[in-house]
Amino acid sequence: MTDVRKRHSVAIVGAGAAGALTAVQLCETAHRRRTALDLLLIDPAPEAGRGTAYATRDPRHRLNVPASNMSAYPDDPGHFVRWLCRHGEPTVTGADFATRYRYGAYLADTLGQALVRAHGTVAVRRLHTRAQSCTGTPDGRVELHLADGGHLVADGAVLATGPAGATAGWAPPALRTSPRFIAAPWSPGALDAVRDNPDDVLLVGTGLTAVDLALILDRPGRTLHALSRSGLLPQPHALGPAGAMPAPEGLDDASLGRLRRAVYRHVSRSVRTHGDWRPGLDSLRPHTARLWRSLTPEEREEFLAREGALWNTHRHRMAPATAEHVSRARTARRLHVHTGTVLRATESEDGSLAVELSNGQVTRVGWVIDCTGPGRHLDSPLWQSLFGSGLAVPGPLGMGAATRDGQLLDARGRAAAPLFTLGAPRRGELWETTAIPEIRGQAAELAQRLLPLQSRGRGSRRPVDGHGLPLSTHAEAAAAYRSGLGRVLKVRSGAEDAFARAVALDPGFALGHAALALLGHECAAAVDVPRALADAQGAARERSDERERSFVAVVTRRVTGDDGDEALVRHLREHPGDALALAAAVPTIAFSGVSDLHDDDALGLLELTSPAYDGHWFHTSLLAFLRQEEGRLHEAGELAHRALAAEPASGHAVHALAHVHYESGAHRAGRDWLDGWVSGRGRGAVHRAHFSWHIALHELALDDPAAVRRRWFTQLAPGRVRGLRALVDSGSLLWRARLSDSWDGELPAADVLDSVAREVLERPATAFTALHAAVALTAAGDLPALHRLRDHAVGADPVQREVIAPLCEALVALVEERFHEAARGLDALLPVLRRVGGSAAQREVVEETLLYALVAAGRCDAARRLLDTRLDRKPAPRDRRLRAALPS
């Protein structure tokens, strides 16, 4: 029988932030699950993603949350920051507060990109109208009736309608009917007359809406009055991170009184510990919904009456720049804040309003603007039709709608129709539900519920990788994955494209996404690593076996620096036949390896995994590399030749043999053999520049500066080599040539730096990359960047903190010609340097820098001893020349 999969249809009512985030998650989930979806987006607005909040073009209107918390994806927190960096703000950080209009553009672009990725799976219709009413259908679907007279039927609907509108119920009747009263200030043109008129203005409300309007209307010669029952303005965000603290214990099963006392004690402790109340309050955020649900209706009402305003002003804060503007306006007495309510308003002959306040003041203003924010009750025609028909009922305390996990409940407390909502309409259920971090999480949960997961048919056989391990994908994607894996193991180009093809064929293939994330993280492949990692995690939760989930967890930890090395070793103990994991664990040409893996540990891993490979050329190649690291050069050479006999394209075996030649001092033979391989079979090697670097090392050792220059310009100069390879190979070679007086004239180190992203140079993901970034920055004499790299290393993983940070300090001393201090620092690092990973030949650059510092410091005896040690290890004409040049 032919498997005809039914197309699902989902209607989203509302295309603001909540609607756009829901559409993004539906697209991503449908794409990953290969579920055919008809997506109907209903909203009269011209552009999706803006709504009221993000339509303002005023650059003073900034987000009230730092950029790091505003990603559209709950599993990719840096997505918005990366978008800003790619769209004209390369220096932005997660602590910055972007403009609201930029955020609206981000949501629209993110939705557009999600639709492009899901093309062929998701078909979208954009209806520029409103939904007026909704009814159920006999077959369990929903029918929406539209304002333009049309109607549509869908398998489910998400009501992303945003908060309820303000009712102006506080305003006296005479004020509500006055032309000087503005009830909807964000309506198009509502503020035109106010902007053109210098009269004073009364803003009723002192929350974030009032602050936004104060930014627009503040001008010399005008006084703004802001009025509320509490007289409290929103608190500002801290200028910098204030620290973090866990939530207090004993919050569960507490009455409102006990909960109140526990929270006040917790906030006081935060002030004592951090000098700031914000960490204490922020620690409650993950628990707010649960605590709200634990209260009785009477306790909730009491909280709103007594603490509601205080909570809102501290929980929903102003951006620092906004707070500064408000402070200046208050200091200049252009903004006055009053406590009270409006009793009555009288219109004068000149059209102005005399507004009497409950505190006894009478304020004469030209305009009164309702800034009280959203109301409790959902009063749009759509919601009223649902309440009238019984398909929905108001939520607790009349706030929003009653829901269970986002699905609307009818009058009998049942989820009778496939109707869902998120964000502000769930206030009665969740209380805190209007910020992007909450809404994006709810959107992801709704997408999971609305789109069924297709199950694999019983008895279906899974394809396997090149080593017999099953893959949770179909045959075509598995073939692409096998091609990518084979190219990684042979060190051939094209692995990234093969893995990308695998996930294009099957977006729900977790291993394909994880492999791309690993290549991007460790090999500087052109991959959006956080996005690939998030895709891997999402796919692994839905359709993966234990081995695949373990590998995704390993890659996640390596990228985040959270115990990634130990996780990788544990994974290999459980799954010794995972060749990609083994390649990542053993430091070779492709990966930096496990940073704290000593020779015995690495050999133990190879011994552990040996039965799974049974003499396979890849495993033999890795063993050859480790044998030469042990100094067992003859055995390493034999193993490398054995692997090459089985697979002549094995780049790992060639790499091992290159090290054997170098470490044994066979520089002429090594240069000639490797030069022939690079121009022959090595043409397709992904790390061809690294083999050229090995040849150049032989030429340096042979004291042939002209050959080194030719090699650099023809095979290693930026333009021929890009990204991480330019940093690791080209940059280090230049510095080593300079250290040994093998480079005349200006050192083109700046060209290397220009070919590498600043992120890689100053915020490298691994200690191995950081080592070479430090070397390249030293070669260029870029002290500010070296300081920034040092600061990054101090806050990074333990290896960067304990090895790279002191290395940067020693190199700064070298650049500043404090040679004695530089030599001391470099000498202390030699015993622990192997922790950064890579090979002895790569780490040797630090030893050569130490030699230079010793000579420059006049410590010729120490330099002579170091050169004698090097010459005993392997003969080299260059080292003999350097030793002979030392004064006796």
Side-chain angles (χ1 to χ4, degrees):
M1 294 179 61
T2 304
D3 179 19
V4 179
R5 293 184 177 178
K6 175 182 176 294
R7 291 190 70 86
H8 292 266
S9 57
V10 176
I12 301 176
V13 179
L21 290 171
T22 303
V24 167
Q25 290 297 331
L26 284 169
C27 288
E28 298 284 356
T29 304
H31 181 51
R32 184 172 62 248
R33 295 180 175 181
R34 292 181 289 162
T35 300
L37 172 66
D38 292 323
L39 185 61
L40 311 163
L41 200 55
I42 305 165
D43 193 301
E47 186 179 5
R50 293 204 178 277
T52 299
Y54 308 116
T56 171
R57 290 180 176 270
D58 195 312
R60 292 167 296 187
H61 286 162
R62 296 193 169 268
L63 297 173
N64 301 313
V65 177
S68 60
N69 290 336
M70 292 296 288
S71 168
Y73 295 98
D75 52 3
D76 185 3
H79 189 262
F80 178 46
V81 175
R82 299 199 307 279
W83 184 90
L84 288 171
C85 290
R86 291 194 301 266
H87 290 79
E89 300 183 47
T91 61
V92 73
T93 70
D96 292 329
F97 293 78
T99 65
R100 297 226 293 272
Y101 193 80
R102 288 284 279 167
Y103 189 70
Y106 161 72
L107 289 178
D109 185 60
T110 300
L111 175 56
Q113 293 298 321
L115 288 168
V116 169
R117 281 194 300 274
H119 179 69
T121 303
V122 177
V124 64
R125 286 175 59 199
R126 181 76 161 83
L127 305 176
H128 292 275
T129 184
R130 298 184 187 278
Q132 295 286 89
S133 64
C134 178
T135 57
T137 65
D139 60 354
R141 300 197 290 170
V142 293
E143 182 173 6
L144 291 165
H145 304 270
L146 308 179
D148 61 6
H151 66 93
L152 57 87
V153 176
D155 294 314
V158 179
L159 309 185
T161 55
T167 61
W170 55 267
L175 179 59
R176 285 201 298 270
T177 59
S178 170
R180 294 281 181 150
F181 176 63
I182 300 174
W186 299 117
S187 299
L191 298 177
D192 289 350
V194 187
R195 287 193 181 97
D196 296 337
N197 190 305
D199 289 350
D200 295 347
V201 176
L202 173 62
L203 307 173
V204 180
T206 58
L208 292 172
T209 300
V211 169
D212 286 340
L213 290 172
L215 295 178
I216 297 174
L217 301 176
D218 180 29
R219 57 183 287 182
R222 165 182 283 164
T223 300
L224 298 172
H225 300 272
L227 169 74
S228 71
R229 293 178 185 273
S230 67
L232 298 174
L233 287 169
Q235 291 290 315
H237 278 281
L239 292 174
M245 60 189 303
E249 298 180 357
L251 295 179
D252 295 316
D253 302 321
S255 66
L256 177 60
R258 289 197 299 270
L259 184 60
R260 180 185 291 123
R261 289 191 293 274
V263 169
Y264 276 112
R265 284 196 301 269
H266 180 60
V267 171
S268 298
R269 188 161 52 249
S270 177
V271 173
R272 291 194 302 271
T273 304
H274 299 283
D276 193 342
W277 51 266
R278 294 172 183 83
L281 195 67
D282 292 344
S283 71
L284 300 174
R285 183 169 185 167
H287 310 280
T288 305
R290 175 174 54 81
L291 296 175
W292 175 258
R293 280 196 289 259
S294 73
L295 300 177
T296 66
E298 295 76 18
E299 287 175 324
R300 294 178 186 178
E301 195 71 73
E302 180 186 345
F303 168 77
L304 293 178
R306 288 185 55 178
E307 279 93 18
L310 187 65
W311 173 270
N312 284 329
T313 56
H314 286 76
R315 169 68 182 81
H316 303 286
R317 304 168 202 151
M318 294 183 282
T322 303
E324 184 180 353
H325 187 119
V326 169
S327 178
R328 287 200 303 267
R330 295 190 74 180
T331 301
R333 304 190 62 76
R334 297 194 307 272
L335 173 62
H336 295 266
V337 180
H338 307 274
T339 302
T341 59
V342 174
L343 295 180
R344 61 186 58 86
T346 306
E347 190 168 335
S348 304
E349 292 183 2
D350 61 359
S352 64
L353 294 169
V355 183
E356 183 179 343
L357 308 181
S358 61
N359 61 10
Q361 290 181 266
V362 176
T363 302
R364 188 169 297 279
V365 295
W367 308 89
V368 176
I369 303 177
D370 187 357
C371 303
T372 55
R376 281 195 183 189
H377 309 295
L378 298 168
D379 56 2
S380 71
L382 173 60
W383 283 108
Q384 289 305 306
S385 78
L386 290 169
F387 294 150
S389 67
L391 280 177
V393 294
L397 306 183
M399 293 193 298
T403 64
R404 182 183 300 123
D405 297 327
Q407 188 167 8
L408 298 184
L409 301 178
D410 64 13
R412 288 183 287 183
R414 302 180 309 173
L419 286 167
F420 302 83
T421 191
L422 75 166
R426 297 184 67 184
R427 282 188 71 210
E429 176 194 0
L430 303 175
W431 174 237
E432 284 290 343
T433 180
T434 58
I436 291 297
E438 283 76 30
I439 294 174
R440 70 190 180 201
Q442 295 171 25
E445 292 169 2
L446 286 184
Q448 299 288 317
R449 295 190 62 186
L450 285 161
L451 297 179
L453 182 61
Q454 302 289 344
S455 61
R456 179 181 294 274
R458 286 187 177 181
S460 58
R461 296 181 59 186
R462 288 195 293 165
V464 296
D465 69 3
H467 297 268
L469 298 180
L471 301 172
S472 297
T473 186
H474 54 71
E476 293 83 359
Y481 179 82
R482 283 193 298 271
S483 174
L485 178 59
R487 291 173 181 276
V488 168
L489 302 188
K490 294 175 185 175
V491 198
R492 308 294 287 179
S493 59
E496 175 191 338
D497 293 338
F499 290 139
R501 188 165 63 254
V503 297
L505 289 166
D506 180 5
F509 183 25
L511 276 190
H513 290 297
L516 281 172
L518 184 64
L519 290 186
H521 173 66
E522 300 226 2
C523 307
V527 175
D528 186 342
V529 173
R531 189 70 244 138
L533 194 58
D535 290 338
Q537 294 165 343
R541 286 192 293 268
E542 294 182 354
R543 172 167 47 93
S544 289
D545 61 20
E546 192 277 331
R547 192 266 305 189
E548 293 166 318
R549 289 192 297 273
S550 174
F551 184 77
V552 170
V554 164
V555 176
T556 300
R557 292 185 175 187
R558 284 183 75 82
V559 170
T560 60
D562 178 20
D563 191 24
D565 290 348
E566 288 189 22
L568 178 53
V569 173
R570 286 196 303 269
H571 174 84
L572 282 167
R573 290 196 182 105
E574 294 293 327
H575 310 284
D578 194 331
L580 187 54
L582 185 60
V586 179
T588 63
I589 187 172
F591 300 100
S592 60
V594 175
S595 59
D596 280 331
L597 200 65
H598 299 293
D599 290 340
D600 291 343
D601 299 326
L603 289 166
L605 270 184
L606 287 184
E607 183 178 344
L608 171 73
T609 57
S610 180
Y613 293 90
D614 192 24
H616 190 275
W617 58 264
F618 168 64
H619 196 272
T620 304
S621 300
L622 297 185
L623 184 57
F625 183 82
L626 290 182
R627 288 300 186 216
Q628 64 81 25
E629 285 281 290
E630 287 184 296
R632 296 163 66 173
L633 302 179
H634 180 72
E635 184 179 350
E638 288 185 343
L639 289 167
H641 283 298
R642 186 189 308 167
L644 287 169
E647 176 49 73
S650 172
H652 285 297
V654 172
H655 186 224
L657 204 52
H659 278 274
V660 168
H661 286 137
Y662 183 72
E663 299 299 341
S664 64
H667 298 301
R668 295 186 190 279
R671 175 197 61 191
D672 296 343
W673 181 85
L674 193 52
D675 205 7
W677 185 85
V678 166
S679 59
R681 288 188 180 275
R683 288 177 183 164
V686 66
H687 298 301
R688 192 163 179 254
H690 186 65
F691 294 114
S692 296
W693 173 83
H694 269 283
I695 303 170
L697 284 192
H698 287 304
E699 292 167 339
L700 268 178
L702 291 168
D703 216 12
D704 190 349
V708 172
R709 291 177 68 92
R710 283 195 303 272
R711 186 76 55 185
W712 198 87
F713 283 112
T714 58
Q715 297 177 7
L716 288 164
R720 299 181 181 278
V721 186
R722 294 182 296 275
L724 191 58
R725 282 268 72 101
L727 182 66
V728 170
D729 297 324
S730 308
S732 68
L733 178 67
L734 275 181
W735 181 236
R736 290 168 86 149
R738 171 67 177 274
L739 292 174
S740 60
D741 298 326
S742 299
W743 191 282
D744 293 329
E746 185 179 354
L747 202 68
D751 296 341
V752 174
L753 300 185
D754 290 343
S755 70
V756 183
R758 264 302 138 178
E759 181 82 11
V760 175
L761 282 171
E762 298 180 11
R763 293 183 292 278
T766 67
F768 177 76
T769 303
L771 165 67
H772 289 88
V775 167
L777 292 170
T778 302
D782 193 338
L783 282 173
L786 262 176
H787 284 296
R788 290 191 291 271
L789 176 59
R790 189 243 355 246
D791 293 343
H792 160 80
V794 167
D797 59 82
V799 181
Q800 292 205 50
R801 184 167 60 250
E802 296 163 17
V803 180
I804 301 302
L807 173 65
C808 289
E809 292 170 0
L811 293 176
V812 165
L814 186 81
V815 175
E816 293 178 344
E817 299 186 357
R818 293 181 282 116
F819 297 117
H820 285 282
E821 187 177 337
R824 272 197 311 272
L826 294 169
D827 188 48
L829 286 171
L830 292 185
V832 297
L833 197 59
R834 67 175 303 117
R835 294 180 64 194
V836 304
S839 67
Q842 289 170 317
R843 299 188 298 268
E844 194 179 49
V845 67
V846 177
E847 183 183 75
E848 294 182 355
T849 307
L850 169 60
L851 178 61
Y852 176 85
L854 290 172
V855 174
R859 296 177 55 190
C860 295
D861 288 342
R864 189 177 295 106
R865 287 193 297 272
L866 180 56
L867 280 168
D868 287 341
T869 300
R870 287 167 58 89
L871 287 166
D872 287 341
R873 194 167 64 225
K874 58 176 179 286
R878 176 199 54 185
D879 284 359
R880 284 197 294 269
R881 172 179 62 82
L882 292 174
R883 192 189 187 289
L886 289 174
S888 56

